[in-house]
Amino acid sequence: MIRFQNQLQEMTADELVAALDEIAALDLPIESQASLEQAIIGVLAKKDPELALNRFKDRLNDNRGLTGWMLSEAMKEWCKKDTGAATAWLDQQIAGGKLDSKSLDGRNHTRSMFEGQVIGALLANDPEAASARLATLPETQRQEAMRIVSTPLKEEQQADYANMIREHLPEDDRNETLAQVASQIVASKDYAGVSSYMERISATPEERTAIVTEAATDKLGSVAFNEKITKEQGGQMRDWALSNSANDANKITGKALAQVAGRSNQNNSFEEVSAFAVQYHEASGNDEVMVSFLENSYDPSKKAQHRELAEKISDPQRREQILKRFK
């Protein structure tokens, strides 16, 4: 496979197209043909993205394999070279019906990917044009397009990105979309990077809660996947949540621990993770940590343990509500 990839890298764009013609003439099974084509498309997209897109413009709505995603990557490469020409080409394909939706809800995953690449390129140089482009999309496709824009998102683009989210996305999608950026940041820059992100975008209290929840849950989950969570790691997550979203820190703590407890891995047992929930529940002086932990955690094999934890909730009404989940 390495030799094959090296050979593709050494071929010219014209030679790659010729290879595609040969593959098309072989009458291969669909899966085999798609696998070979995708290997070549990935290389051709880097060498000559315009050629790759024109070659496969009749298959933009082809959902087989990774073809749509790889062509959207070709769009990204073309935008780097000539955003105007790439955008004009995309508009031509849309006008010609090449990216019409085939689903009942009107969504088109491939178009969202392409639009995301164009909007991302515009955001880097002309935020107003990027915003105007996003506004032309159906509301049902804006969130998915902006997810593409955010992968990755440079620090100097974060404020403009957030303003576009606030202006053009439906209310129910805004906080979730802003929080997804935090998921990427915490993976590489830890909690401090997320704090800086919230400052750059002047996050509202509601946005901060969504962002801190996403970052805390993802970071603790990532740690738990690779190793046993330590007291220090749990405390770091909780302290950061308290300093960045004090009013909701207990709920965030409970949810983050519940996500870890719900994952099947050999590093952290339910009993070990729930011990953290008990510790923070007792330290908090209220029921929020435990309620949140139990509302977001469910394992049919652990009903007895869940009920035992629920008995620690001091509010009778909330305790009864939680106990009903684990009958």
Side-chain angles (χ1 to χ4, degrees):
M1 182 58 69
I2 293 173
R3 288 198 299 270
F4 175 56
Q5 289 294 333
N6 288 338
Q7 182 180 355
L8 292 179
Q9 293 292 342
E10 293 170 0
M11 295 169 69
T12 66
D14 288 339
E15 288 172 336
L16 291 168
V17 170
L20 288 168
D21 290 335
E22 289 183 44
I23 292 168
L26 289 177
D27 194 28
L28 295 170
I30 292 176
E31 294 79 7
S32 300
Q33 180 176 336
S35 179
L36 286 170
E37 284 180 342
Q38 287 164 13
I40 294 173
I41 292 170
V43 179
L44 183 59
K46 294 283 188 181
K47 292 179 180 289
D48 193 333
E50 181 179 0
L51 181 58
L53 287 163
N54 279 316
R55 167 80 187 197
F56 290 96
K57 65 182 179 182
D58 291 329
R59 285 173 52 184
L60 294 181
N61 261 339
D62 188 344
N63 294 320
R64 291 180 300 173
L66 298 173
T67 301
W69 175 78
M70 299 180 94
L71 291 176
S72 80
E73 287 295 300
M75 173 60 65
K76 180 179 181 178
E77 294 300 320
W78 193 3
C79 283
K80 290 178 183 178
K81 299 177 181 180
D82 191 337
T83 303
T87 303
W89 182 90
L90 178 59
D91 287 339
Q92 185 179 31
Q93 308 315 309
I94 293 170
K98 294 279 197 308
L99 285 164
D100 286 349
S101 174
K102 296 180 180 179
S103 64
L104 294 175
D105 62 6
R107 295 176 184 269
N108 186 313
H109 177 63
T110 304
R111 181 176 175 186
S112 294
M113 289 193 297
F114 275 84
E115 293 285 1
Q117 302 294 10
V118 169
I119 293 169
L122 291 172
L123 181 63
N125 302 301
D126 191 347
E128 288 187 7
S131 182
R133 180 89 192 182
L134 180 61
T136 66
L137 288 180
E139 280 195 349
T140 55
Q141 294 190 204
R142 293 177 187 176
Q143 183 182 38
E144 189 171 19
M146 292 306 282
R147 286 175 178 170
I148 301 296
V149 175
S150 70
T151 313
L153 187 66
K154 295 180 180 178
E155 290 182 358
E156 59 269 23
Q157 297 172 352
Q158 290 172 356
D160 289 324
Y161 177 87
N163 289 334
M164 287 170 61
I165 296 296
R166 293 165 182 145
E167 182 178 359
H168 297 299
L169 262 63
E171 185 175 355
D172 291 345
D173 294 340
R174 292 171 195 163
N175 292 345
E176 178 186 354
T177 309
L178 290 172
Q180 286 166 350
V181 178
S183 179
Q184 299 172 33
I185 295 172
V186 78
S188 59
K189 297 186 178 181
D190 216 324
Y191 297 119
V194 181
S195 297
S196 298
Y197 165 62
M198 290 189 288
E199 292 304 313
R200 285 190 203 97
I201 69 171
S202 301
T204 66
E206 294 78 10
E207 290 168 353
R208 292 180 79 88
T209 295
I211 290 169
V212 174
T213 300
E214 183 78 14
T217 302
D218 280 15
K219 181 64 176 179
L220 201 65
S222 176
V223 171
F225 182 80
N226 294 296
E227 59 191 76
K228 189 179 295 294
I229 297 173
T230 65
K231 182 178 179 180
E232 290 72 23
Q233 289 165 333
Q236 182 187 24
M237 177 274 293
R238 179 159 171 75
D239 289 344
W240 180 74
L242 283 165
S243 63
N244 285 275
S245 185
N247 290 338
D248 294 289
N250 289 325
K251 291 181 181 179
I252 292 168
T253 300
K255 184 173 182 179
L257 291 171
Q259 295 299 310
V260 172
R263 295 178 180 177
S264 297
N265 68 74
Q266 58 187 1
N267 296 319
N268 298 273
S269 68
F270 177 85
E271 289 72 20
E272 289 170 327
V273 179
S274 64
F276 281 107
V278 172
Q279 174 189 337
Y280 299 136
H281 164 73
E282 294 173 350
S284 69
N286 61 55
D287 292 328
E288 293 300 334
V289 173
M290 189 58 69
V291 169
S292 178
F293 178 76
L294 293 172
E295 283 181 339
N296 291 283
S297 172
Y298 185 77
D299 182 342
S301 68
K302 304 288 184 181
K303 283 186 178 182
Q305 291 93 323
H306 281 97
R307 291 182 63 83
E308 183 179 345
L309 292 170
E311 292 293 347
K312 297 180 180 296
I313 298 172
S314 60
D315 185 315
Q317 186 175 359
R318 301 186 80 180
R319 181 172 62 243
E320 187 59 32
Q321 289 173 341
I322 294 297
L323 284 170
K324 287 178 180 179
R325 294 194 70 223
F326 305 109
K327 285 185 176 180

